[in-house]
Amino acid sequence: MTINKVTADTDTGAMLQQRFRETRRRTEWLCRHLETEDFVVQPVVDVSPPKWHLGHTTWFFETFVLMSHQPGYRLFHEDFSFVFNSYYEHAGKRVLRTDRGNLSRPTVAEVFRYRAYVDEGMEQLLSGQSLPTEVATLIELGIHHEEQHQELLAADIKYILGNNPLFPAIAVLSQSVEAKEEKPDGPEWISVPEGVYEIGFAGNGFCFDNELNRHKVYLGAYQLCNALVTNGEFLEFIAADGYGHFAHWLSDGWGWVKANNIQAPAYWHKVEGQWHYYTFNGLESVAPDAPLCHISFYEADAFARWRGRRLPTEAEWEAAAGKFNWGRRWEWTNSAYLPYPGFAAAPGAVGEYNGKFMINQMVLRGASDATPPGHSRPSYRNFYPPWMRLAFAGVRLAE
Amino acid sequence: MTINKVTADTDTGAMLQQRFRETRRRTEWLCRHLETEDFVVQPVVDVSPPKWHLGHTTWFFETFVLMSHQPGYRLFHEDFSFVFNSYYEHAGKRVLRTDRGNLSRPTVAEVFRYRAYVDEGMEQLLSGQSLPTEVATLIELGIHHEEQHQELLAADIKYILGNNPLFPAIAVLSQSVEAKEEKPDGPEWISVPEGVYEIGFAGNGFCFDNELNRHKVYLGAYQLCNALVTNGEFLEFIAADGYGHFAHWLSDGWGWVKANNIQAPAYWHKVEGQWHYYTFNGLESVAPDAPLCHISFYEADAFARWRGRRLPTEAEWEAAAGKFNWGRRWEWTNSAYLPYPGFAAAPGAVGEYNGKFMINQMVLRGASDATPPGHSRPSYRNFYPPWMRLAFAGVRLAE
Amino acid sequence: MTINKVTADTDTGAMLQQRFRETRRRTEWLCRHLETEDFVVQPVVDVSPPKWHLGHTTWFFETFVLMSHQPGYRLFHEDFSFVFNSYYEHAGKRVLRTDRGNLSRPTVAEVFRYRAYVDEGMEQLLSGQSLPTEVATLIELGIHHEEQHQELLAADIKYILGNNPLFPAIAVLSQSVEAKEEKPDGPEWISVPEGVYEIGFAGNGFCFDNELNRHKVYLGAYQLCNALVTNGEFLEFIAADGYGHFAHWLSDGWGWVKANNIQAPAYWHKVEGQWHYYTFNGLESVAPDAPLCHISFYEADAFARWRGRRLPTEAEWEAAAGKFNWGRRWEWTNSAYLPYPGFAAAPGAVGEYNGKFMINQMVLRGASDATPPGHSRPSYRNFYPPWMRLAFAGVRLAE
Amino acid sequence: MTINKVTADTDTGAMLQQRFRETRRRTEWLCRHLETEDFVVQPVVDVSPPKWHLGHTTWFFETFVLMSHQPGYRLFHEDFSFVFNSYYEHAGKRVLRTDRGNLSRPTVAEVFRYRAYVDEGMEQLLSGQSLPTEVATLIELGIHHEEQHQELLAADIKYILGNNPLFPAIAVLSQSVEAKEEKPDGPEWISVPEGVYEIGFAGNGFCFDNELNRHKVYLGAYQLCNALVTNGEFLEFIAADGYGHFAHWLSDGWGWVKANNIQAPAYWHKVEGQWHYYTFNGLESVAPDAPLCHISFYEADAFARWRGRRLPTEAEWEAAAGKFNWGRRWEWTNSAYLPYPGFAAAPGAVGEYNGKFMINQMVLRGASDATPPGHSRPSYRNFYPPWMRLAFAGVRLAE
């Protein structure tokens, strides 16, 4: 991947070292209350065991930084590249994704030793003089990669515990922000005039390759709501039997609803006639003023149609991103995840980072309660298949 | 669906009657050499038995035109709406798509009687005075609907016979144009300058709802090749082991290649070391100068990447459509099938025509050797999932 | 397979020729009212298209008799051995069973021509002097093989038409005996004393290899009912929610009921509150005094347990077969299909006839309304997996 | 289940208490070297996580003994009956078997606390005076149930670690007996004369309900080999491409070989041209004189056919069991698992113990290196589906 060249120059080695340490520390902090058993399981193929996230983010630094740029570095364990590779075909045969949850070994303790070992190697590299730009760029990428996994880790822990019949409460985020209510001052519609806008990353600092090539787009006039859709609004959709009427749904979405018998957002359960949901605090009553979360694109789209609105495109979102608050939910857009004009993947394994996923996925914009601090910007492009509900994703309406 | 209002006004009843007759006749002409058995089978879920196409296009006129607008009309058979509905949820329970090939009854002869019965009803309606615009509009839609099915019918017949171990030759199209070689005068690159272009249907005449709302798009400068990719060029990709190197492929495409052991376009077979393919003439040597056909989006995209080019977007294609010859292959674009600004489905069953498929599909532009005469225009949007190879689809490169 | 050696000696060539003609004629007679389309479809993997039965029984004579024993015989079509082989691994690559219904070619007319061609070759062989015993033995086997397929053909036609939403009535058997009511004079229990009995084929004439090796078995005292279970008795089981209580069911049977939402025997439909079933006469009210039909082993077993009885073993059945009337329903036994002592398959392809299926199947004894005349005897062993409901199978209780 | 009535009378309370303690202790002893992570995973549906075995055997005592027969007993945790029920439909909704490996909670520590809590309750009951026969019978059953799970536990641990790419060595059994070589003095054939034999449990002591009803069977003369088939003998089968020739295989077995690409017994790996296998000592060279292990019925049957022999029936095995040494491998027989004459399941949940599995399974006789001491007898009937390779199963030939 071609990350923004300016990045590595402005970050001095010391700043990079500081950010490396903080990022590595925060990953482990997210797991601070997990039991050993919680690190191991993989209830569905799209969830990875926490110990895998811990190992994989470490493997990234070992493989792409230490192995190539730290002379004399010795692998912690030669089988780990097999165990902790995710999808980098360049880097050799990988454990099938469905097999991750079958592996009791390496143990959690061993994975933490692996982290410490690689951290030590990285410290030596970062403490050295004159870090080449190319290496700094890779480390920068590794930090952002690990930040991405922090959000996935939070989502996967939630799935693991939220699908356990005992519904354990566990502090993952510093407070259970995900369910926090927030009365908007009154939703308002932001008008954006017709015109040519510029989209894509601008300025200094890091960005992923999929944000590069700032370019012009023509947008007709449109309106965006300044508030996210709330649970209360979605309860109205459920009450109106929104899940039962095909006319609100895309054809594939309707098939998905029927095949999976979907009746509410993920983690919602009806207990004695009242809707509850699993949060990191355990099972709670659904908070009507909290922003809706854990819905698929299909549900976001159906809800918008039922309300007589629509989802924004990613260009509409980005062009207006300075005019409203965002950051509590990733926001589904009606844009497919496709390359920007002039997009080209970098040669080698890091080139597999983003580009090869540009099919069969929809773009989400913004950030969420689980996004690490500093890991968001208006040009950031997140993406998921339209049926995925693991992410802390919600809805902002457009028209 | 909101078809272009102007349409019905300019088509007089007599013209509509003439077009109705020609369209109905052409559908049956495509089947003129089929054996009774060929009308019945459904080798894969995406193929429909020819007798189903014959019945379904008839059912469309019966249900949406005669039932609603011909007083005193009596259904040919009350179970047929159950048998021949495709995906119109509004119109009642339908036969599951996978079950179509299990139905030996109604017989082919009975389906032809059904066609004759409905045609008679339609003739009465069309011969009457003062056809209301609303009805003319529905008939117009029914004609275009049947034209679409003519192309599907040709593709499905090809699949049924091309996957039979006896590889029967059968004249479906007037000549087996699909394999016709055509030496381009020398491929040339057409340059299109940066700017704001208008996209979408313009002018009088019929169009589908998904083409409506002509709107502006901003395009950077780009180039399109005036020639389609040929079989010979694709043979080079195969010879270079293009199917064996993940780096050319989107991640989902690579998974598709592996899971299905894809080694060549659909209908290709290696016979004694030479590539052959099934055409309506039977099994033939692959013609190197004929345009490539029956490839998936994944293959089109991988080929383009291998060649250091890319697929055009649908806007790029349409903006330049006046500058090159097209019409032999539907051309895969790198645009997802999504609504144009301001798109809205019509109320009722005809509103299910296009909009609800706007997810998980890629757009194809142009037309093919199997497209009925007159059933194409620069704004026409065809669409398929990225793995589909039934269509007469090929590749035009961009950069 | 080692068929009884005596057989071929006693059947003179003329008798064999006569039986060959009658058998071939009867197969076509069963199809006399089919539409061309009915010959083609394969609604589920366990059903074969009628034209496949017609071709396969012919292929058997062509491959095992004419090819090997008729000098100068020329194949009708060299691809037919590929198309019409069923499961004889010795005889080369076969069409996957699930693909049979995808083949519109060869056409039905061509298959009948194939039959006529092979019949002619057989007539020449049968009219010649001095048919070697080995050849007569193979012809005898081919006749019995075709008789077996006659019963399968009737069952498959029933499935094809009985699962068509139009429920066509069609005369397959000479009268729709399958639904015929038959008031037993009053069910009686036949007592059989403890002792050593002989089981297996005895005497002259043909038998299949799986019946050979008559041997002793020790049986404790037992009782068999002289009457088959009727539809009326099974309606009581349904009314008592027999399908809803796990305690009546084997574990696999209960899983099968849940997974397939089984609520009645195959072909039963509740129409306006009344149970109907599809017979060759079309959809009819369930006849309470007709013997129960089209149930799986699981249902037979659950019904018996609910009634406080059990199914007989195959040895119990055979030891008492002279003491009651049988022949309207194949009767599920509680014996797994396993080799008799000393069983050995013949070398070569005919050795694949029976032995290799001796796992995961249960034995049925008797015969049915669809069994060809003369194609039954007390030692005959039919077999099916426990979930299969295609056969004309019913229940006789033991205790 | 109707366990042998005599049992409970002869076991005094003290003896039962002693045996209860030893059994409970041995289960935990088998896990003594497991890491916490090893208790959690479920790599395939047929394997249960070790912590589930620990909990389930405990749940059995809690549910069937303490809840019903210990006045004032309080459940350890009300959700545990949901989590640890296996297949007892009487005892309420159970966790789907495929979900067991998704549960990180209850933790391993909590499961051990559950064991301690129930053990304490049991101690009180067992220390009391005058244990009613009915309760003693249930405890006896619980002990044998837990012993059965000890063998499953060993097999499941082997699967979990043997399918981990790190192949960890772990002492589960007291020595890795499973790979121990044992040169037989020279295999000899034991001749058994024709006659009526008695089969089924006889005498005092415990047996399962499926062994009851000792009854006569008539057996023709037969021979059994006094030695188990060795790895070395099976290597000859592999070398002769036994897995590549359909003629050795039952039809279902051949399908299983092809569908799963089977090329050797479970746990075998070819490393640098030499066959190795995973044992509790890690990956080792295959010991040629050790008895063959971890093969399916299909492989046992194919091997026997290739050798020109056959598998014994369970009656043949039992009638001769006094004449040879057995106990290192469960031995596949060619008998389907079916009820003995007069078999009847007990009312209520314990009646679900054995009878409802009497379909689609084959009987194994003997015992294995992993069978708990004292948990075997000549009449013991083990059973598995024919494709299962988890068990410590081997082959003894008959003819």
Side-chain angles (χ1 to χ4, degrees), chain A residues 33 35-38 40-43 77 79 82-83 101-109 160-161 163-166 168 170, chain D residues 33 35-38 40-43 77 79 82-83 101-109 160-161 163-166 168 170:
Chain A
H33 295 302
E35 300 285 352
T36 299
E37 293 85 343
D38 300 328
V40 179
V41 299
Q42 180 179 34
H77 191 303
D79 287 342
F82 176 71
V83 170
N102 299 341
L103 302 183
S104 60
R105 312 292 180 92
T107 63
V108 175
I160 288 166
L161 298 174
N163 284 279
N164 188 298
L166 306 176
I170 179 168
Chain D
H33 296 300
E35 300 284 353
T36 300
E37 293 86 343
D38 300 329
V40 179
V41 298
Q42 180 180 34
H77 190 303
D79 287 342
F82 177 70
V83 171
N102 299 341
L103 302 183
S104 60
R105 312 292 180 91
T107 64
V108 175
I160 288 166
L161 297 175
N163 285 280
N164 188 297
L166 306 177
I170 180 169

Coordinates of all heavy atoms in Angstrom, one line a residue, chain A residues 33 35-38 40-43 77 79 82-83 101-109 160-161 163-166 168 170, chain D residues 33 35-38 40-43 77 79 82-83 101-109 160-161 163-166 168 170:
Chain A
H33 N -9.8 -7.7 31.4 CA -10.8 -8.4 32.2 C -11.2 -9.7 31.7 O -12.1 -10.4 32.2 CB -12.0 -7.5 32.5 CG -11.7 -6.3 33.3 ND1 -11.2 -6.3 34.5 CD2 -11.9 -5.0 33.0 CE1 -11.0 -5.1 35.0 NE2 -11.4 -4.3 34.0
E35 N -11.2 -13.7 30.8 CA -10.7 -14.9 31.4 C -9.9 -15.6 30.3 O -10.1 -15.4 29.1 CB -11.9 -15.8 31.8 CG -12.8 -15.2 32.8 CD -12.2 -15.3 34.2 OE1 -11.1 -15.9 34.4 OE2 -12.8 -14.7 35.1
T36 N -9.0 -16.5 30.7 CA -8.2 -17.2 29.7 C -9.1 -17.9 28.6 O -8.8 -17.8 27.4 CB -7.4 -18.3 30.4 OG1 -6.5 -17.7 31.3 CG2 -6.6 -19.1 29.4
E37 N -10.2 -18.4 29.0 CA -11.1 -19.1 28.1 C -11.7 -18.2 27.0 O -11.9 -18.6 25.9 CB -12.3 -19.8 28.8 CG -11.9 -20.9 29.8 CD -11.5 -20.5 31.2 OE1 -11.1 -19.3 31.3 OE2 -11.4 -21.3 32.1
D38 N -11.9 -16.9 27.4 CA -12.5 -16.0 26.5 C -11.6 -15.7 25.3 O -12.0 -15.2 24.3 CB -12.8 -14.6 27.2 CG -13.8 -14.8 28.4 OD1 -14.7 -15.7 28.3 OD2 -13.7 -14.0 29.3
V40 N -10.0 -17.8 23.5 CA -9.8 -19.0 22.7 C -10.9 -19.2 21.7 O -10.6 -19.7 20.6 CB -9.6 -20.2 23.6 CG1 -9.4 -21.5 22.8 CG2 -8.5 -20.0 24.6
V41 N -12.1 -18.9 22.0 CA -13.2 -19.4 21.2 C -13.5 -18.6 20.0 O -13.2 -17.4 19.9 CB -14.5 -19.6 22.0 CG1 -14.3 -20.6 23.2 CG2 -15.0 -18.2 22.5
Q42 N -14.1 -19.2 19.0 CA -14.5 -18.5 17.7 C -15.9 -19.0 17.4 O -16.1 -19.9 16.6 CB -13.5 -18.9 16.6 CG -13.9 -18.3 15.3 CD -12.9 -18.7 14.2 OE1 -12.4 -19.8 14.1 NE2 -12.7 -17.8 13.2
P43 N -16.9 -18.3 17.9 CA -18.3 -18.8 17.7 C -18.8 -18.9 16.3 O -19.6 -19.7 15.9 CB -19.1 -17.9 18.6 CG -18.2 -17.1 19.4 CD -16.9 -17.1 18.7
H77 N 8.9 -18.2 17.0 CA 8.6 -19.6 16.8 C 8.2 -19.7 15.3 O 7.4 -19.0 14.8 CB 7.3 -19.9 17.6 CG 7.0 -21.4 17.7 ND1 6.8 -22.1 16.6 CD2 6.9 -22.2 18.8 CE1 6.5 -23.4 17.0 NE2 6.6 -23.4 18.3
D79 N 6.5 -21.7 13.6 CA 5.2 -22.1 13.2 C 4.2 -20.9 13.3 O 3.0 -21.0 12.9 CB 4.6 -23.3 14.0 CG 5.3 -24.6 13.5 OD1 5.9 -24.6 12.4 OD2 5.2 -25.5 14.3
F82 N 2.6 -19.3 10.4 CA 1.5 -20.1 9.8 C 0.2 -19.9 10.6 O -0.9 -19.8 10.1 CB 1.9 -21.6 9.9 CG 0.9 -22.6 9.5 CD1 0.5 -22.7 8.2 CD2 0.3 -23.4 10.4 CE1 -0.4 -23.6 7.8 CE2 -0.7 -24.3 10.0 CZ -1.0 -24.4 8.7
V83 N 0.3 -19.8 11.9 CA -0.8 -19.7 12.8 C -1.4 -18.3 12.8 O -2.7 -18.1 12.9 CB -0.4 -20.0 14.3 CG1 -1.5 -19.7 15.2 CG2 -0.1 -21.5 14.4
G101 N -10.5 -21.0 15.8 CA -11.1 -21.3 17.1 C -10.9 -22.7 17.5 O -11.3 -23.2 18.6
N102 N -10.2 -23.5 16.7 CA -9.9 -24.9 17.1 C -8.6 -25.1 17.8 O -8.2 -26.2 18.2 CB -9.9 -25.8 15.8 CG -11.2 -25.7 15.1 OD1 -12.2 -25.4 15.7 ND2 -11.2 -26.1 13.9
L103 N -7.8 -24.0 17.9 CA -6.4 -24.1 18.3 C -6.3 -23.7 19.8 O -6.4 -22.5 20.1 CB -5.6 -23.2 17.5 CG -5.6 -23.4 16.0 CD1 -4.6 -22.5 15.2 CD2 -5.3 -24.9 15.6
S104 N -6.1 -24.7 20.6 CA -5.9 -24.4 22.0 C -4.4 -23.9 22.3 O -4.2 -23.2 23.2 CB -6.2 -25.6 22.9 OG -5.4 -26.7 22.6
R105 N -3.6 -24.3 21.4 CA -2.2 -23.9 21.5 C -1.9 -23.0 20.3 O -2.4 -23.3 19.2 CB -1.2 -25.1 21.5 CG -1.6 -26.2 22.4 CD -1.4 -25.7 23.9 NE -1.8 -26.8 24.8 CZ -0.9 -27.7 25.3 NH1 0.4 -27.7 24.9 NH2 -1.3 -28.6 26.1
P106 N -0.9 -22.1 20.3 CA -0.2 -21.6 21.5 C -1.2 -21.1 22.6 O -2.3 -20.6 22.2 CB 0.7 -20.5 21.0 CG 0.1 -20.1 19.7 CD -0.6 -21.3 19.1
T107 N -0.8 -21.2 23.8 CA -1.6 -20.8 24.9 C -1.6 -19.2 25.0 O -0.8 -18.6 24.3 CB -1.1 -21.3 26.3 OG1 0.2 -20.8 26.5 CG2 -1.1 -22.8 26.3
V108 N -2.6 -18.7 25.7 CA -2.6 -17.3 25.9 C -1.3 -16.7 26.5 O -0.8 -15.7 26.0 CB -3.8 -16.9 26.8 CG1 -3.9 -15.4 27.1 CG2 -5.1 -17.4 26.1
A109 N -0.8 -17.4 27.5 CA 0.5 -17.0 28.1 C 1.6 -16.9 27.0 O 2.4 -16.0 27.0 CB 0.8 -17.9 29.2
I160 N -18.5 -12.9 21.4 CA -18.2 -14.1 22.2 C -19.0 -14.2 23.5 O -19.6 -15.2 23.9 CB -16.7 -14.2 22.5 CG1 -15.9 -14.6 21.2 CG2 -16.4 -15.2 23.6 CD1 -14.4 -14.3 21.3
L161 N -19.0 -13.0 24.2 CA -19.7 -13.0 25.5 C -21.2 -12.8 25.3 O -22.1 -13.3 26.1 CB -19.1 -12.0 26.4 CG -17.7 -12.3 26.7 CD1 -17.0 -11.1 27.5 CD2 -17.5 -13.6 27.5
N163 N -23.0 -13.9 23.0 CA -23.7 -15.2 22.5 C -23.5 -16.3 23.5 O -23.8 -17.5 23.2 CB -23.2 -15.5 21.2 CG -23.8 -14.6 20.1 OD1 -24.9 -14.8 19.7 ND2 -23.1 -13.6 19.7
N164 N -23.0 -16.0 24.7 CA -22.9 -17.0 25.8 C -24.2 -16.9 26.6 O -24.7 -15.8 26.9 CB -21.7 -16.7 26.6 CG -21.5 -17.8 27.6 OD1 -22.3 -18.1 28.5 ND2 -20.3 -18.4 27.5
P165 N -24.8 -18.1 26.9 CA -26.1 -18.0 27.6 C -26.0 -17.4 29.0 O -27.1 -17.0 29.5 CB -26.6 -19.5 27.7 CG -25.3 -20.3 27.3 CD -24.5 -19.5 26.5
L166 N -24.8 -17.2 29.5 CA -24.7 -16.6 30.8 C -24.6 -15.1 30.7 O -24.6 -14.4 31.7 CB -23.5 -17.2 31.5 CG -23.4 -18.7 31.7 CD1 -22.1 -19.1 32.3 CD2 -24.6 -19.2 32.4
P168 N -22.2 -12.7 30.3 CA -21.3 -12.1 31.3 C -21.1 -10.6 31.0 O -20.9 -10.2 29.9 CB -20.0 -12.8 31.1 CG -20.3 -13.9 30.2 CD -21.5 -13.6 29.4
I170 N -18.7 -7.4 31.3 CA -17.2 -7.3 31.3 C -16.8 -5.9 30.8 O -17.3 -5.5 29.8 CB -16.6 -8.4 30.3 CG1 -15.1 -8.3 30.3 CG2 -17.1 -8.3 29.0 CD1 -14.4 -9.4 29.7
Chain D
H33 N -2.6 -32.7 32.9 CA -1.6 -31.9 32.2 C -2.2 -31.0 31.2 O -1.4 -30.4 30.4 CB -0.6 -32.9 31.5 CG 0.1 -33.7 32.5 ND1 1.0 -33.2 33.4 CD2 0.2 -35.1 32.7 CE1 1.5 -34.1 34.2 NE2 1.1 -35.3 33.7
E35 N -3.7 -27.6 29.5 CA -3.7 -26.2 29.7 C -5.2 -25.7 29.8 O -6.0 -26.4 29.2 CB -3.0 -25.5 28.6 CG -1.5 -25.8 28.4 CD -0.6 -25.2 29.5 OE1 -1.1 -24.4 30.3 OE2 0.6 -25.6 29.5
T36 N -5.4 -24.6 30.4 CA -6.8 -24.1 30.4 C -7.4 -24.1 29.0 O -8.6 -24.5 28.8 CB -6.8 -22.7 31.1 OG1 -6.3 -22.8 32.4 CG2 -8.2 -22.2 31.1
E37 N -6.6 -23.6 28.1 CA -7.2 -23.5 26.7 C -7.6 -24.8 26.1 O -8.5 -24.9 25.3 CB -6.1 -22.9 25.8 CG -5.7 -21.4 26.1 CD -4.6 -21.3 27.2 OE1 -4.4 -22.3 27.9 OE2 -4.1 -20.2 27.3
D38 N -6.9 -25.9 26.5 CA -7.2 -27.2 25.9 C -8.6 -27.7 26.4 O -9.2 -28.6 25.7 CB -6.2 -28.3 26.4 CG -4.8 -27.9 25.9 OD1 -4.6 -27.3 24.9 OD2 -3.8 -28.3 26.7
V40 N -11.3 -26.0 26.3 CA -12.4 -25.1 25.8 C -12.8 -25.5 24.3 O -14.0 -25.3 24.0 CB -11.9 -23.7 25.8 CG1 -12.9 -22.7 25.3 CG2 -11.5 -23.3 27.3
V41 N -11.9 -25.9 23.5 CA -12.1 -25.9 22.1 C -12.9 -27.2 21.6 O -12.9 -28.2 22.3 CB -10.8 -25.8 21.3 CG1 -10.2 -24.5 21.6 CG2 -9.9 -26.9 21.5
Q42 N -13.5 -27.1 20.5 CA -14.3 -28.2 19.9 C -14.0 -28.1 18.4 O -14.8 -27.6 17.6 CB -15.8 -28.0 20.1 CG -16.7 -29.1 19.5 CD -18.1 -28.9 19.8 OE1 -18.6 -27.8 19.8 NE2 -18.9 -30.0 19.9
P43 N -13.0 -28.8 17.9 CA -12.5 -28.6 16.5 C -13.5 -29.2 15.5 O -13.6 -28.7 14.4 CB -11.2 -29.4 16.5 CG -10.8 -29.6 17.9 CD -12.0 -29.6 18.7
H77 N -26.1 -24.0 39.8 CA -26.3 -22.8 38.9 C -27.5 -23.3 38.0 O -27.4 -24.3 37.3 CB -25.1 -22.5 38.1 CG -25.2 -21.2 37.3 ND1 -26.2 -20.9 36.4 CD2 -24.4 -20.1 37.4 CE1 -26.0 -19.7 36.0 NE2 -24.9 -19.2 36.5
D79 N -28.5 -22.3 35.1 CA -28.3 -22.4 33.7 C -27.5 -23.6 33.3 O -27.3 -23.9 32.1 CB -27.6 -21.2 33.2 CG -28.6 -20.0 33.1 OD1 -29.8 -20.2 33.2 OD2 -28.1 -18.8 33.1
F82 N -28.9 -26.4 31.3 CA -29.0 -26.0 29.9 C -27.7 -26.2 29.1 O -27.6 -26.7 28.0 CB -29.4 -24.6 29.8 CG -29.5 -24.0 28.4 CD1 -30.5 -24.4 27.5 CD2 -28.6 -23.0 28.0 CE1 -30.6 -23.9 26.3 CE2 -28.7 -22.5 26.7 CZ -29.7 -22.9 25.9
V83 N -26.6 -25.9 29.8 CA -25.3 -26.0 29.2 C -24.7 -27.4 29.1 O -24.0 -27.7 28.2 CB -24.3 -25.1 30.0 CG1 -22.9 -25.3 29.6 CG2 -24.7 -23.6 29.9
G101 N -18.3 -25.7 21.7 CA -17.0 -25.1 21.7 C -17.0 -23.6 21.5 O -16.0 -23.0 21.4
N102 N -18.2 -23.0 21.5 CA -18.3 -21.6 21.5 C -18.4 -20.9 22.8 O -18.4 -19.7 22.9 CB -19.6 -21.2 20.7 CG -19.5 -21.7 19.3 OD1 -18.5 -22.1 18.8 ND2 -20.7 -21.8 18.6
L103 N -18.5 -21.7 23.8 CA -18.8 -21.2 25.2 C -17.5 -21.1 26.0 O -16.9 -22.0 26.4 CB -19.7 -22.2 25.9 CG -21.1 -22.4 25.2 CD1 -21.9 -23.3 26.0 CD2 -21.8 -21.1 24.9
S104 N -17.1 -19.8 26.2 CA -15.9 -19.6 27.0 C -16.3 -19.6 28.5 O -15.5 -19.9 29.4 CB -15.3 -18.2 26.7 OG -16.2 -17.2 26.9
R105 N -17.5 -19.3 28.8 CA -18.1 -19.5 30.1 C -19.1 -20.6 30.2 O -19.8 -20.8 29.2 CB -18.8 -18.1 30.5 CG -18.0 -16.9 30.3 CD -16.7 -16.8 31.1 NE -16.0 -15.6 30.8 CZ -16.2 -14.4 31.5 NH1 -17.1 -14.3 32.4 NH2 -15.5 -13.3 31.2
P106 N -19.3 -21.3 31.3 CA -18.5 -21.1 32.6 C -17.0 -21.5 32.3 O -16.7 -22.3 31.5 CB -19.2 -22.2 33.5 CG -19.9 -23.1 32.6 CD -20.3 -22.3 31.4
T107 N -16.2 -20.9 33.1 CA -14.8 -21.1 33.0 C -14.4 -22.5 33.5 O -15.2 -23.1 34.2 CB -14.0 -20.1 33.8 OG1 -14.3 -20.3 35.2 CG2 -14.3 -18.6 33.4
V108 N -13.2 -22.9 33.2 CA -12.7 -24.2 33.7 C -12.7 -24.2 35.2 O -13.2 -25.2 35.8 CB -11.3 -24.5 33.1 CG1 -10.8 -25.8 33.7 CG2 -11.4 -24.5 31.6
A109 N -12.3 -23.2 35.8 CA -12.3 -23.1 37.3 C -13.7 -23.3 37.9 O -13.9 -24.0 38.9 CB -11.7 -21.8 37.8
I160 N -8.1 -32.9 19.8 CA -7.8 -31.5 20.0 C -6.3 -31.2 19.8 O -5.9 -30.2 19.1 CB -8.3 -31.0 21.4 CG1 -9.8 -31.0 21.4 CG2 -7.7 -29.7 21.7 CD1 -10.5 -30.8 22.7
L161 N -5.5 -32.0 20.4 CA -4.0 -31.7 20.3 C -3.4 -32.3 19.0 O -2.5 -31.8 18.5 CB -3.3 -32.3 21.6 CG -3.8 -31.6 22.8 CD1 -3.2 -32.2 24.1 CD2 -3.5 -30.1 22.8
N163 N -4.8 -32.4 16.2 CA -5.1 -31.5 15.0 C -4.6 -30.1 15.2 O -5.0 -29.2 14.5 CB -6.6 -31.5 14.8 CG -7.0 -32.9 14.2 OD1 -6.9 -33.0 13.0 ND2 -7.5 -33.8 15.0
N164 N -3.8 -29.9 16.2 CA -3.1 -28.6 16.4 C -1.8 -28.7 15.6 O -1.0 -29.7 15.7 CB -2.8 -28.4 17.9 CG -2.3 -27.0 18.1 OD1 -1.3 -26.6 17.7 ND2 -3.1 -26.2 18.9
P165 N -1.5 -27.6 14.8 CA -0.2 -27.7 14.0 C 1.0 -27.8 14.9 O 2.1 -28.2 14.3 CB -0.2 -26.4 13.2 CG -1.3 -25.5 13.9 CD -2.2 -26.4 14.6
L166 N 1.0 -27.6 16.1 CA 2.2 -27.7 17.0 C 2.3 -29.1 17.6 O 3.3 -29.4 18.2 CB 2.1 -26.7 18.2 CG 1.9 -25.2 17.7 CD1 1.7 -24.3 19.0 CD2 3.0 -24.7 16.8
P168 N 1.4 -30.9 20.2 CA 1.9 -31.0 21.6 C 1.9 -32.4 22.2 O 0.9 -33.1 22.0 CB 1.0 -30.1 22.4 CG 0.1 -29.4 21.4 CD 0.1 -30.2 20.2
I170 N 1.5 -34.7 25.4 CA 0.9 -34.6 26.7 C 0.5 -35.9 27.2 O 0.0 -36.8 26.6 CB -0.4 -33.7 26.5 CG1 -1.1 -33.6 27.8 CG2 -1.4 -34.4 25.5 CD1 -2.2 -32.6 27.8

